[in-house]
């Protein structure tokens, strides 16, 4: 640990030195580098870690440099915990979820200064959303049924006190959490197993509705992989189909068969284009024309023989992919334009699994 | 006088020439019957180190600790008493075979033995052999093999032996051993318990080792009946029951625990007729584990596997110089687990071995083995070895072999990720050993080379699901060396020194980078100095740095540990001893797995009595 910190500091130092010595025309323009907002603009990359703790990397918005271990740099002698699963945000804060250590670490989203931690009442927390001074976080309960998937629960956390104030059992597996128009939508799926979306009402602190997408008959293996909510429509991607649902009724609007591609995953919708991945390829279709695409936008070009879309995001004009490599050394991220042209590649921490954007 | 010295040596557990003796010297115990006779007869060109029961008494009972301080094997330990896996000559955790009374007991699930689930108090002898051994011992004997033996003797006697040890962190080690023999019956009973709160402080106020408590109990019965001088029936039966809470890195983590139980039974009939010796064996081995991912819940995941083994071994002494041996074995295994549907597999194997003495100083052996199973493609395995004694001062040894590690139940059948098309990992290796002897000093220097192909690795595949594939190729070379010195300095004063040094390069053949958690250097040693009734002792260990990332971007630094002990003979005649020991005397901070701190200075007291 000590060594990686030193290494990171060394890298950071080199970067500072380089940026200082590049200007030698006499009129050295000292940048108004406000230390407080070091991470104001750019891409936050979450590295889940493996045997050891996870870390956060930061890529500046010009794509010139990645700074690794930013939390440890800003907050010496502190760590974020094991297996960092995801980050959720409110206006000023980032909430970093460690499912290996049952922690949610609160930092200033622009400086990454430590502000507090939720360290009790959680059991393998996975995803969360902040709404109205509370956080709604999905947890695994680790009761062994058919896998650890039977009695997950949602915790309601007071973001002032950082205490868990309520725990609501769902009786089924929970995944990603979204908020839309005062209701919380929770994916009933994990590791590609699951078939519905649960609607949770923060007023009553109860699950009020279930939108079931499909039912597997024997030998069928359809599983929900990811969802997105745009306006009044839920987009739900399974490993075989793309569904659109009416947000308030759960009624199915469309169903697009993607089985010609198969193993579809990582739904992300940006500027009217629906992006998703399959294996090492990225596909795109427009919201208005829900036909299965015949060919990928681009295929993942990696020197790693087992390159996998471990993390995927589309933001503005760029597509971000990450590769876990062997999970025992630095992972890599790659950036492409939305046209599929390669832009840049960087080495980050161990097991990069998700991207978030500060602007 | 001489007789007295020998007595003292035995009595005070200083029978150290046995600690690192050559294979042929194991037969010193000629009245003692071992089931694992192959270790004596077919280790030509290899080095076998034998840890006597008196040495086992001096150490804590967890096999990790015993071997860590007495052999070149490196251990990755997730905190004291937690999951511990070996790296023997730079190989992976499933490439060390653990042999229980001649039977391979590596787990059907992951191909390994967790060395913190073996209580060394259950055995009379532990032997360690470096290098390949799949021809005789089957899967996993790539880096080397560890042999857990129970002995039997028909010499008339009745002995009780009791060891009680208590120390820091409420750690208890209790062992009772009863040996009796009358006429044609012999019984050897061992019962041991080891438990600890294991709540040591981490260095530099990093906190306390939470949820690290464990206990284990084991009982072993070895019963023999001799029909006549040429026919013996033997039954060895063992049960092990352990519970460990896995320690936390951070207090907010889920508290987990792991229960494991094993049953090992062996029925063996030895008979001799004319120039033949035959051994027929039936064995039943069962392993069970339960993992509680959250001890607040009663729910757990589990795995159970049982193997039925029938083995027939026929040896023929064709002449005084030629020994031929055929072994056939059938192993039927059925296993199931939370994530593994019930599966069975049958493996039939046949091996032939031959040993030839060209002269008293020059001997050689060869062996071949082939397995028949529809579970994987089985390669032809072979071994050959030779040794030549040039003089009293110098002997030269050579051994070469092809070995394998078969795919495990997890590799093949893990729900939705197992890969039924895996092949065994294979290893081709060779070693040259040099033995030097001057008076009371014996020293060995072995050069080894090992090429492992088709290493099974779990890698993320499509959809983020990890699957095992035959992927890596690893190249290993290095040296192992030892020095044993025993000297009587004056009347009632004996000095005894054992040292080991190993240098290992074990690298991924593609990237040429040293494998993670594999140190280049390991040094350990034991020094005892017996003065009258007192025996001060010093034990030390140095593990060199290990990389923790495959790109070598991070590492754990090396560490040095020192233990000191002092024992006092309360009753010399009956060998009653009172002893005390300080572990990690220098209070060095160390970890051998990242974020898993080990304890600082700690203490224990022990009492060893015989009646």
């Amino acid at each position: 640990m000590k060594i990686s910190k030193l290494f990171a500091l060394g890298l950071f130092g080199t970067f500072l030195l380089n940026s200082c010595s590049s200007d030698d025309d006499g009129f050295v323009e000292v940048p108004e580098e406000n230390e407080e907002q070091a991470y104001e603009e750019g891409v936050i990359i979450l590295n889940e870690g493996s045997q050891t703790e996870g870390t956060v990397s930061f890529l500046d918005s010009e794509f010139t440099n990645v700074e690794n271990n930013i939390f440890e740099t800003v907050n010496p002698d502190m760590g974020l915990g094991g297996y960092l699963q995801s980050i959720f945000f409110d206006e000023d804060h980032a909430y970093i979820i460690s499912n290996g250590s049952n922690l949610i670490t609160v930092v200033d989203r622009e400086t990454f200064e430590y502000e507090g931690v939720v360290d009790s009442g959680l059991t393998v927390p996975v995803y969360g959303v902040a709404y109205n001074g509370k956080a709604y976080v999905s947890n695994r309960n680790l009761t062994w049924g058919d896998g650890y998937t039977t009695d997950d629960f949602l915790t309601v956390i007071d973001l002032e006190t950082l205490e868990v104030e309520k725990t609501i059992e769902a009786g089924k597996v929970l995944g990603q959490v979204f908020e839309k128009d005062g209701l919380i939508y929770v994916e009933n799926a994990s590791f590609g197993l699951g078939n519905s979306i649960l609607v949770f009402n923060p007023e009553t602190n109860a699950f009020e509705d279930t939108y079931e997408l499909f039912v597997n008959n024997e030998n069928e293996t359809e599983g929900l992989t990811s969802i997105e909510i745009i306006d009044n429509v839920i987009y739900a991607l399974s490993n075989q189909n793309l569904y659109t649902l009416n947000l308030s009724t759960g009624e199915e609007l469309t169903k697009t068969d993607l089985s010609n591609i198969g193993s579809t995953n990582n739904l992300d919708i940006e500027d009217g284009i629906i992006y998703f991945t399959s294996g090492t390829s990225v596909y795109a279709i427009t919201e208005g024309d829900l036909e299965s695409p015949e060919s990928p936008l681009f295929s993942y070009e990696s020197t790693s023989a087992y390159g996998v879309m471990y993390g995927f995001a589309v933001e503005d004009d760029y597509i971000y992919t990450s590769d876990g490599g062997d999970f025992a050394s630095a992972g890599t991220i790659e950036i492409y334009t939305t046209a599929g042209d390669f832009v840049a590649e960087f080495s980050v921490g161990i097991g990069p699994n998700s991207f978030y954007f500060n602007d | 006088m001489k007789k007295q010295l020998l007595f003292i040596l035995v009595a005070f557990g200083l029978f150290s020439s046995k600690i690192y003796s050559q294979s042929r010297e194991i037969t010193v115990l000629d009245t003692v019957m071992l089931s694992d006779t192959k270790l004596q007869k077919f280790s030509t060109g290899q080095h076998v180190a034998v840890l006597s029961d008196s040495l086992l008494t001096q150490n804590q009972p967890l096999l990790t600790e015993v071997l860590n301080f007495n052999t070149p094997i490196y251990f990755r330990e997730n905190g004291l008493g937690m999951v511990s896996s070996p790296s023997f000559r730079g190989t992976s955790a499933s490439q060390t075979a653990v042999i229980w009374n001649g039977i391979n007991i590596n787990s059907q699930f992951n191909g390994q033995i967790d060395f913190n689930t073996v209580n060394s108090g259950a055995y009379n002898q532990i032997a360690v052999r470096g290098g390949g051994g799949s021809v005789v011992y089957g899967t996993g004997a790539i880096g080397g093999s560890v042999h857990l033996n129970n002995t039997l003797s028909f010499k008339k006697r009745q002995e009780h032996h009791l060891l009680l040890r208590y120390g820091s962190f409420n750690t208890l080690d209790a062992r009772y051993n009863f040996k009796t023999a009358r006429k044609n019956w012999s019984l050897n009973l061992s019962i041991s318990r080891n438990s600890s709160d294991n709540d040591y402080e981490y260095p530099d106020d990093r906190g306390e080792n939470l949820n690290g408590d464990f206990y284990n109990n084991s009982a072993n019965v070895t019963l023999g009946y001799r029909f006549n001088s040429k026919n013996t029936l033997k039954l060895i039966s063992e049960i092990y029951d352990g519970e460990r809470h896995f320690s936390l890195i951070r207090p907010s983590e889920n508290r987990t625990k792991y229960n494991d139980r094993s049953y090992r039974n062996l029925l063996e009939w030895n008979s001799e007729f004319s120039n033949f010796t035959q051994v027929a064996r039936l064995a039943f081995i069962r392993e069970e584990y339960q993992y509680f991912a959250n001890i607040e819940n009663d729910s757990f995941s589990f795995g159970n596997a049982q193997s039925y083994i029938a083995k027939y071994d026929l040896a023929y002494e064709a002449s005084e110089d030629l020994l031929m041996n055929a072994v056939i074995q059938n192993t039927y295994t059925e296993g199931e687990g939370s994530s593994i549907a019930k599966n069975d597999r049958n493996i039939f194997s046949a091996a032939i071995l031959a040993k030839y003495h060209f002269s008293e100083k020059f001997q050689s052996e060869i062996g071949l083995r082939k397995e028949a199973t529809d579970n994987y493609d089985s390669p032809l395995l072979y071994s050959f070895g030779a040794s030549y004694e040039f003089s009293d001062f110098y002997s030269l040894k050579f051994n070469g072999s092809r070995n394998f590690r078969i795919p495990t139940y997890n590799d093949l059948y893990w729900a939705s990720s197992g890969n039924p098309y895996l092949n065994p990992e294979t290893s081709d290796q060779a070693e040259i050993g040099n033995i030097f002897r001057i008076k009371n000093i014996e020293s060995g220097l072995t050069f080894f080379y090992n090429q492992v192909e088709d290493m099974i690795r779990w890698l993320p595949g499509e959809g983020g699901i990890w699957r095992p594939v035959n992927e890596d190729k690893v190249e290993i070379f290095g040296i192992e060396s030892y020095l044993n010195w025993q000297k009587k300095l004056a009347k009632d004063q004996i000095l005894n020194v054992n040292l080991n040094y190993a240098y290992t390069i074990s690298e991924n053949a593609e990237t040429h980078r040293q494998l993670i958690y594999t140190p280049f250097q390991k040094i350990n040693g034991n020094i005892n100095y017996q003065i009258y009734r007192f025996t001060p002792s010093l034990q030390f260990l140095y593990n060199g740095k290990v990389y923790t990332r495959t790109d070598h971007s991070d590492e754990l630094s090396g560490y040095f540990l020192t233990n000191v002990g002092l024992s006092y003979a309360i009753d010399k005649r009956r060998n009653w001893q009172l002893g005390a020991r300080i572990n990690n005397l220098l209070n060095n901070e160390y970890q051998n797995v990242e974020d898993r701190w080990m304890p600082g200075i700690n203490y224990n007291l022990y009492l060893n009595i015989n009646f």
Side-chain angles (χ1 to χ4, degrees):
Chain A
M1 282 308 270
K2 271 178 191 156
I3 286 167
S4 68
K5 244 179 262 169
L6 264 180
F7 182 65
L9 282 172
L11 270 186
F12 190 50
T14 319
F15 169 54
L16 286 177
L17 281 175
N18 285 340
S19 55
C20 287
S21 58
S22 58
D23 269 335
D24 53 359
D25 58 359
F27 290 94
V28 180
E29 199 180 30
V30 180
E32 286 270 284
E33 184 65 44
N34 190 340
E35 275 265 318
E36 302 305 317
Q37 279 130 34
Y39 311 113
E40 195 179 337
E41 256 184 77
V43 185
I44 295 164
I45 301 135
L46 187 64
N47 308 296
E48 66 185 26
S50 64
Q51 182 91 48
T52 175
E53 297 210 329
T55 60
V56 177
S57 302
F58 184 80
L59 169 65
D60 68 291
S61 54
E62 303 298 316
F63 303 153
T64 50
N65 180 62
V66 161
E67 185 190 336
N68 290 319
N69 303 319
I70 61 172
F71 179 81
E72 292 78 3
T73 307
V74 174
N75 309 286
D77 296 329
M78 294 185 76
L80 291 166
Y83 293 104
L84 304 183
Q85 177 73 27
S86 64
I87 308 180
F88 62 93
F89 297 87
D90 61 16
E91 190 91 346
D92 304 318
H93 306 101
Y95 301 88
I96 304 159
I97 300 181
S98 152
N99 75 37
S101 306
N102 297 332
L103 295 173
I104 301 176
T105 305
V106 187
V107 299
D108 181 306
R109 69 182 290 173
E110 294 187 344
T111 64
F112 260 74
E113 276 168 10
Y114 172 85
E115 297 196 342
V117 67
V118 183
D119 59 3
S120 64
L122 303 168
T123 306
V124 196
V126 277
Y127 295 97
V129 71
Y131 169 67
N132 204 13
K134 305 272 167 70
Y136 299 85
V137 176
S138 55
N139 288 254
R140 300 267 138 79
N141 203 17
L142 298 183
T143 301
W144 184 270
D146 185 17
Y148 291 114
T149 54
T150 49
D151 61 347
D152 290 2
F153 59 88
L154 198 70
T155 47
V156 182
I157 298 162
D158 184 324
L159 292 180
E160 280 296 314
T161 62
L162 298 181
E163 295 290 334
V164 170
E165 58 178 35
K166 206 153 175 52
T167 295
I168 302 100
E169 293 241 354
K172 45 181 85 175
V173 60
L174 299 181
Q176 283 186 280
V177 185
F178 301 83
E179 183 275 325
K180 185 74 180 173
D181 300 334
L183 289 175
I184 308 295
Y185 296 86
V186 190
E187 189 189 19
N188 158 221
S190 148
F191 300 115
L193 299 169
N195 67 345
S196 51
I197 294 153
L198 306 179
V199 186
F200 180 84
N201 188 340
E203 298 285 322
T204 60
N205 274 333
F207 288 100
E208 294 195 335
D209 211 344
T210 302
Y211 300 165
E212 193 172 75
L213 290 160
F214 51 85
V215 176
N216 276 329
N217 293 317
E218 210 179 320
N219 296 325
E220 286 181 339
T221 55
E222 184 165 8
L224 181 60
T225 58
S226 47
I227 62 176
E228 270 260 41
I229 301 173
I230 304 285
D231 300 327
N232 285 317
V233 178
I234 301 177
Y235 292 80
L237 182 72
S238 78
N239 55 341
Q240 297 162 21
N241 294 299
L242 175 66
Y243 300 85
T244 59
L245 309 179
N246 180 310
L247 178 71
S248 42
T249 65
E251 183 198 346
E252 183 180 302
L253 303 173
T254 66
K255 176 180 173 183
T256 309
D257 185 354
L258 301 174
S259 53
N260 64 316
I261 297 170
S263 300
T264 48
N265 195 4
N266 289 320
L267 179 68
D268 200 340
I269 302 171
E270 184 76 3
D271 296 330
I273 313 276
I274 300 164
Y275 298 88
F276 58 88
T277 70
S278 171
T280 56
S281 298
V282 176
Y283 294 82
I285 46 179
T286 59
E287 277 179 30
D289 175 31
L290 293 174
E291 288 287 308
S292 180
E294 283 179 1
S295 58
L297 186 62
F298 66 91
S299 278
Y300 191 90
E301 294 291 336
S302 168
T303 50
S304 165
Y306 17 89
V308 162
M309 293 282 177
Y310 208 65
F312 175 78
V314 187
E315 178 79 359
D316 297 331
D317 300 327
Y318 298 100
I319 297 171
Y320 302 82
T321 66
S322 73
D323 180 350
D326 61 2
F327 290 85
S329 62
T332 52
I333 60 163
E334 292 188 0
I335 302 156
Y336 295 82
T337 65
T338 46
D341 296 322
F342 176 80
V343 177
E345 142 180 58
F346 296 96
S347 175
V348 291
I350 292 180
N353 66 10
S354 49
F355 299 91
Y356 307 89
F357 303 90
N358 265 351
D359 49 25
Chain B
M1 207 70 218
K2 223 173 182 179
K3 206 171 172 185
Q4 196 186 348
L5 174 65
L6 183 70
F7 174 75
I8 291 165
L9 279 174
V10 175
F12 288 82
L14 290 173
F15 211 22
S16 65
S17 60
K18 269 172 43 200
I19 293 173
Y20 285 109
S21 59
Q22 271 192 298
S23 53
R24 56 173 194 172
E25 284 173 283
I26 298 171
T27 51
V28 165
L29 305 161
D30 56 354
T31 57
V32 171
M33 283 183 64
L34 280 172
S35 290
D36 191 358
T37 51
K38 290 286 170 294
L39 190 63
Q40 307 167 25
K41 289 178 185 153
F42 290 99
S43 293
T44 310
Q46 291 179 302
H47 177 60
V48 181
V50 178
L51 286 72
S52 63
D53 53 355
S54 44
L55 181 106
L56 298 178
T57 314
Q58 293 180 349
N59 282 279
Q60 296 272 4
L62 295 175
L63 190 56
T64 300
E65 172 151 332
V66 176
L67 299 182
N68 206 5
F69 282 97
N70 295 291
T71 72
I73 306 172
Y74 175 72
F75 288 92
R76 308 149 176 147
E77 208 180 354
N78 266 6
L80 187 74
M82 303 293 110
V83 173
S84 166
S85 60
S87 174
F88 199 161
R89 288 191 176 177
T91 58
S92 77
S94 53
Q95 292 172 346
T96 297
V98 178
I99 310 299
W100 176 83
N101 292 304
I103 305 281
N104 188 317
I105 56 164
N106 284 31
S107 167
Q108 297 293 331
F109 293 106
N110 61 12
Q112 311 171 11
I113 287 288
D114 178 341
F115 279 67
N116 278 336
T117 63
V118 179
N119 186 322
S120 62
Y123 309 102
N124 305 110
Q125 185 203 72
I126 293 176
V128 174
R129 188 174 81 172
S134 286
V135 166
V136 173
Y137 296 112
T139 180
I142 291 178
S145 47
V146 174
H147 303 256
L148 311 174
N149 293 323
N150 295 97
T151 56
L152 208 55
S153 163
F154 287 99
K155 191 178 145 202
K156 188 179 177 206
R157 63 166 139 188
Q158 178 155 327
E159 288 171 8
H160 301 264
H161 175 91
L162 181 69
L163 172 74
L164 293 171
R165 187 196 317 267
Y166 184 79
S168 302
F169 326 123
N170 194 23
T171 304
L172 174 74
D173 168 19
R175 308 180 206 178
Y176 169 72
N177 182 223
F178 174 58
K179 284 180 186 163
T180 187
R182 271 193 68 192
K183 293 183 181 163
N184 292 321
W185 288 94
S186 174
L187 172 73
N188 184 352
L189 170 73
S190 299
I191 297 171
S192 29
R193 177 177 174 89
N194 180 211
S195 65
S196 177
D197 290 348
N198 204 23
D199 53 352
Y200 55 88
E201 295 288 325
Y202 297 150
D204 284 345
D205 296 323
R206 286 187 187 90
E208 184 183 306
N209 193 47
L210 296 170
N211 199 50
D213 51 314
F214 63 84
Y215 72 78
N216 62 67
N217 301 315
S218 61
N220 184 302
V221 181
T222 304
L223 183 66
Y225 181 73
R226 190 167 54 182
F227 296 95
N228 51 48
S229 64
K230 300 201 164 173
N231 279 284
T232 313
L233 194 65
K234 187 156 73 169
L235 174 73
I236 308 180
S237 194
E238 179 178 303
I239 178 169
Y240 171 94
D241 173 52
E243 174 175 294
R244 279 184 297 175
H245 287 208
F246 286 146
S247 64
L248 310 179
I249 295 176
R250 287 167 172 272
S252 58
E253 288 173 8
N254 291 318
R255 293 177 178 229
T256 62
K257 70 175 182 183
Y258 182 85
N259 293 345
D260 63 322
R261 202 167 288 148
S262 58
Y263 305 88
R264 294 165 188 147
N265 302 282
L266 171 67
L267 182 66
E268 181 180 306
W269 175 43
N270 262 278
S271 67
E272 291 171 27
F273 51 94
S274 69
N275 290 334
F276 289 92
T277 305
Q278 66 173 0
V279 187
R281 291 183 181 91
L282 290 173
F284 170 71
I285 292 172
R286 181 174 165 85
E287 58 178 296
E288 300 175 356
Y289 77 82
Q290 297 175 338
Y291 176 66
F292 294 75
N294 185 351
I295 57 176
E296 310 286 318
N297 281 339
D298 291 333
S299 84
F300 55 84
S301 55
F302 72 96
N304 299 322
Q306 49 208 27
S307 297
Y308 304 86
I309 300 164
K311 196 169 178 179
Y312 181 74
D313 182 323
L314 182 68
Y316 173 60
E317 262 181 73
S319 71
E320 242 176 51
D321 299 323
L322 178 64
L323 174 68
M324 299 206 293
N325 201 172
V327 186
I328 56 170
Q329 178 173 342
N330 196 76
T331 305
Y332 173 78
T333 304
E334 49 189 20
E336 64 176 327
S338 304
S339 298
I340 294 175
K342 195 163 187 163
N343 274 289
D344 56 0
R345 68 174 172 194
N346 196 71
I347 301 168
F348 174 82
S349 73
I352 48 168
L353 302 154
K355 184 164 183 170
Y356 187 70
H357 292 252
F358 292 96
S359 69
E360 201 173 300
K361 297 183 169 189
F362 184 24
Q363 45 188 293
S364 67
E365 67 170 59
I366 55 166
L368 284 174
R369 177 193 181 107
K370 176 77 180 168
E371 291 191 343
T373 176
D374 48 17
N375 212 247
Y376 49 85
D377 286 334
S378 171
L380 177 71
L381 306 177
Y382 59 80
S383 68
F384 50 92
S387 69
Y388 185 75
E389 193 179 321
F390 284 89
S391 65
D392 289 343
F393 169 66
Y394 178 66
S395 302
L396 181 64
K397 303 203 246 185
F398 174 81
N399 191 281
S401 58
R402 167 163 253 232
N403 308 281
F404 72 169
R405 192 278 267 191
I406 65 174
T408 64
Y409 265 63
N410 289 0
D411 297 335
L412 296 166
Y413 305 127
W414 194 267
S416 71
S417 20
N419 177 356
Y421 305 107
L422 289 170
N423 285 321
E425 299 175 348
T426 56
S427 145
D428 291 290
Q429 55 179 277
E431 65 180 83
I432 293 170
N434 303 273
I435 311 291
F436 306 93
R437 286 191 198 86
I438 314 170
K439 289 183 180 169
N440 310 318
I441 300 177
E442 179 182 305
S443 175
L445 178 62
T446 303
F447 301 91
F448 59 87
Y449 176 82
N450 187 358
Q451 186 176 309
V452 189
E453 289 187 35
D454 286 333
M455 289 266 282
I456 296 170
R457 265 188 65 193
W458 284 66
L459 293 171
E462 226 158 78
I465 293 168
W466 291 61
R467 305 198 68 177
V469 287
N470 285 109
E471 149 83 22
D472 280 350
K473 192 170 155 180
V474 174
E475 212 166 20
I476 306 169
F477 49 97
I479 57 171
E480 255 176 25
S481 59
Y482 67 90
L483 183 139
N484 300 326
W485 179 35
Q486 190 179 351
K487 187 158 173 66
K488 189 182 174 197
L489 296 170
K491 184 177 180 290
D492 288 334
Q493 293 192 34
I494 300 159
L495 175 70
N496 200 346
V497 178
N498 307 300
L499 303 170
N500 282 301
Y501 172 74
Y503 188 87
T504 310
I505 291 172
S506 175
E507 55 184 35
N508 181 308
E510 200 173 306
T511 63
H512 295 290
R513 287 207 175 101
Q514 179 88 351
L515 300 190
I516 58 172
Y517 290 109
T518 309
F520 292 104
Q521 304 199 62
K522 176 168 177 177
I523 306 169
N524 58 27
N526 288 282
I527 299 166
N528 288 334
Y529 185 47
Q530 190 222 316
I531 320 168
Y532 309 107
R533 282 170 180 251
F534 292 96
T535 306
S537 61
L538 171 72
Q539 197 170 49
F540 65 90
L541 165 70
Y542 172 76
N543 268 322
K545 75 167 180 190
V546 293
Y547 294 109
T548 55
R549 307 277 192 278
T550 53
D551 56 5
H552 289 187
S553 61
D554 209 345
E555 64 188 40
L556 290 178
S557 44
Y559 57 87
F560 184 78
L561 296 179
T562 316
N563 305 331
V564 293
L566 178 66
S567 73
Y568 174 72
I570 313 167
D571 182 330
K572 262 180 135 173
R573 190 179 57 80
R574 286 184 295 178
N575 185 24
W576 286 30
Q577 290 172 73
L578 184 64
R581 202 159 111 132
I582 306 172
N583 293 320
N584 195 1
L585 178 72
L586 306 174
N587 202 23
N588 284 339
E589 40 180 89
Y590 72 106
Q591 43 185 348
N592 49 48
V593 171
E594 199 171 0
D595 293 336
R596 296 293 186 174
W597 291 100
M598 297 291 282
I601 188 165
N602 61 90
Y603 313 88
N604 66 63
L605 279 172
Y606 64 90
L607 177 68
N608 192 5
I609 55 178
N610 298 287
F611 51 93

